[in-house]
Amino acid sequence: MNDLDLLIVGSGVAGLSAAVRAAADGKLRVGVLSKAELTQSATRWAQGGIAAVLAEEEDSTDLHLADTLKAGAGLCDREAVRVLVDEGPGRVNELRARHTVLTTGGAGQLFAVTTNPTQSTGDGIAMALRAGVAVADIEFMQFHPTALHHPAMPRPLLSEALRGHGALIRDAQGERFVDELSPRDLVSQAITARMLEQGVDHVWLDATDLEAFDERFPTIAASVRAIGLDPSADWLPIAPAAHYLSGGIVTDLDGATALPGLWACGETACTGVHGANRLASNSLLEGMVFAPRIVEAIGRGKGGPEPTGAMRPLLVDRPVAGVVWVSPLHMVQPVIGGQGDDERKLRDRLQRAMTAGAGVLRNAGSLRTTDETLVEIAGMAGGSSPELRNLLVTARGLLLAALAREESRGAHYRTDFPETSDSFCHRLLLTP
């Protein structure tokens, strides 16, 4: 930390405000040191809000001053209180901000089996659609073929390294049925098809012939041994799990979205680098490359998108060669104030429906059946949390895009259109 100009110790509102202000000035290298996660501070639990006079109505800075002095029971420093109430409104206005960056992650929680944390509920995509901001490529949900089949969620990964070193995939009868070294999407499709054929919810990864398993794969060994399996003797139960969303909110090469002042980065964004199927490890690189581009663009005064990267088609007149517009005119939304059902059950039903009808293998019938289920869930989800509402919106967008893409490409596989079609060699843009 010797190269920092300013070190903020503590992650409460004071520390973070100072850090944001110093960083915004662009003159100081700022760090924040906390003994726990940044969210673990008293600030998070404060329920009284912030007291500040934002309009000249009945309330006023003088009344705020008087109330503060009264509450202080004679020990307030009047000069300090005057600074507080006079400068407070300006500091509050610096917050609802000229620039907002969405880094909300993916949407793996759309599905019953996922490697994603419980927070990955497509929040950024749903917010963007509500704001009229285009998203793209969200039909391309990448499924990891060899997630450990276990009640724990998110599911631990049994990486390609195991198959690369000779581990074999076996079905319920113990037979091999797929080339273990095929790309993720092909292995996921083969596993799902065999599971449906045999009426099972998992197959097996046989790594019993791999030598020195615990030494070569210590993290995986710990995961499987934690559930009572010995990788040197036991076949490991596996099933495909929703892993990474290749698409998201459309941005230009600086992370700007179609809405001036709104930026997106990471898995919630569609920069165009992943196309129909992410190359493993490119996701971390994407974050490292495009996040600084956002900061640099804001620093040089950029306020809106430019016709670069995946954003290019949005900034020219329609129709655009190489782009199809999909307009979800009837976005599924819960009836606010309606009679809410048990949210956990509704979320579970949504995830199971998406897994069955919009998972690794899809077709027009399964996608439409899933959409009907979403409509039913929305009708019972009044008063639900923002997460469930966002899941509904993002799920509907994925279904519409998957229905529109009548081909199989990358992570999107339609059993009724199993071939890749040149007529769909373009991006599908969704707008509300």
Side-chain angles (χ1 to χ4, degrees), residues 30-255:
V30 183
V32 178
L33 180 64
S34 173
K35 66 179 181 181
E37 296 179 8
L38 294 183
T39 55
Q40 297 300 313
S41 71
T43 299
R44 184 182 181 190
W45 314 118
Q47 298 181 13
I50 297 176
V53 178
L54 301 181
E56 288 293 336
E57 297 176 351
E58 293 184 8
D59 201 355
S60 69
T61 54
D62 287 340
L63 289 175
H64 190 185
L65 175 76
D67 289 342
T68 303
L69 294 174
K70 182 178 180 181
L75 290 184
C76 291
D77 183 281
R78 189 180 187 91
E79 186 178 10
V81 175
R82 174 55 71 184
V83 169
L84 178 74
V85 300
D86 285 351
E87 296 188 11
R91 298 308 183 193
V92 170
N93 285 327
E94 287 178 353
L95 299 177
R96 285 191 294 186
R98 290 177 299 162
H99 300 280
T100 299
V101 182
L102 296 177
T103 59
T104 53
Q109 289 295 321
L110 288 174
F111 298 91
V113 179
T114 181
T115 65
N116 288 193
T118 57
Q119 296 85 0
S120 296
T121 52
D123 301 321
I125 292 170
M127 287 189 287
L129 285 171
R130 291 192 190 99
V133 178
V135 304
D137 295 349
I138 61 172
E139 66 270 34
F140 299 118
M141 172 63 77
Q142 185 183 73
F143 287 78
H144 197 289
T146 55
L148 184 65
H149 180 73
H150 186 261
M153 200 71 71
R155 293 284 172 85
L157 291 178
L158 304 185
S159 77
E160 281 92 342
L162 297 179
R163 287 177 276 139
H165 283 80
L168 305 177
I169 297 176
R170 302 184 183 277
D171 64 13
Q173 275 77 51
E175 300 295 328
R176 289 182 63 194
F177 58 93
V178 64
D179 180 357
E180 288 83 2
L181 300 183
S182 296
R184 283 180 177 177
D185 53 325
L186 298 183
V187 178
S188 292
Q189 293 159 20
I191 290 176
T192 302
R194 186 57 60 99
M195 286 164 47
L196 291 172
E197 177 186 326
Q198 297 185 335
V200 297
D201 60 1
H202 69 278
V203 292
W204 303 95
L205 186 68
D206 177 6
T208 55
D209 286 339
L210 273 61
E211 297 180 357
F213 190 102
D214 288 57
E215 290 75 20
R216 295 165 68 187
F217 311 104
T219 302
I220 297 175
S223 295
V224 298
R225 290 188 181 280
I227 62 172
L229 295 174
D230 179 357
S232 66
D234 300 319
W235 290 357
L236 309 177
I238 58 170
H243 186 51
Y244 191 89
L245 187 62
S246 293
I249 307 163
V250 178
T251 71
D252 69 7
L253 294 182
D254 289 324

Side-chain angles (χ1 to χ4, degrees), residues 411-432:
H412 168 74
Y413 188 85
R414 289 277 299 261
T415 58
D416 48 351
F417 295 96
E419 303 298 327
T420 299
S421 170
D422 290 342
S423 63
F424 279 94
C425 190
H426 49 64
R427 183 160 285 116
L428 300 182
L429 300 174
L430 276 77
T431 55

Side-chain angles (χ1 to χ4, degrees), residues 287-313:
M288 292 174 65
V289 169
F290 285 90
R293 291 181 70 90
I294 291 176
V295 176
E296 292 164 4
I298 292 173
R300 65 175 182 264
K302 180 173 178 174
E306 297 173 333
T308 61
M311 178 61 64
R312 187 180 296 109

